[in-house]
Amino acid sequence: MCQLTGMEVSNASMYDGASGLAEAVLMALRVTRRKKVLISRAIHPEYRRVIETYIDPDQQALVSIPYQNEEGRTDDRALEDLLSQDVAAVVVQSPNFFGVVEDLARIGRRFTRPEGC
C-alpha cells in the first residue's frame, strides 16, 4: 500500500463491513460500560460470526433478535421485549441479508431511550 500511495506509513484496518461493525460493537460496549448487545438475525451470518470472534463471551452477551419470516424484517416486538438497561447497542443492517430495507428511522424513534437510561 505504501508503494501504491507513495506514503511512508500505511494502515490496513476497517477495509470491510464486518470488521467495521465489530469495532462499532466494541466501542458501544466500552463507551456505555454495558454488557449486552442485541443483534438482528437478519444481519449477514458472516458479519455476526466476526462480531462473535471479537467479543468476550465471559464478559459480554450477544443476544439475537429474530426476524419476521413472512417479511424478512427484524421483529420489532421481539426487539422491544429484549431491550433493558444493560443493552449497549442494537445492531440492524439495511438492506439486510434477505435484501429487505429495514426502516431504521422508525426503529430508532421507537426504541431510543430517554436520557440517562
Side-chain angles (χ1 to χ4, degrees), residues 2 36 57 69 71-72 77 82 108 114 116-117:
C2 290
K36 187 186 300 182
N69 289 331
E71 298 179 22
R77 287 186 204 136
L82 291 168
C117 287

Side-chain angles (χ1 to χ4, degrees), residues 13-64:
S13 66
M14 303 312 149
Y15 274 106
D16 68 319
S19 63
L21 178 58
E23 289 289 341
V25 166
L26 289 178
M27 183 176 68
L29 290 164
R30 264 191 319 273
V31 169
T32 65
R33 296 188 178 154
R34 295 177 180 159
K35 302 295 182 186
K36 187 186 300 182
V37 174
L38 305 180
I39 182 168
S40 173
R41 295 284 304 164
I43 288 182
H44 195 293
E46 292 174 4
Y47 281 35
R48 288 196 318 265
R49 295 281 303 186
V50 171
I51 293 170
E52 290 168 3
T53 64
Y54 273 59
I55 69 164
D56 179 354
D58 293 330
Q59 300 294 319
Q60 297 124 357
L62 195 59
V63 179
S64 292

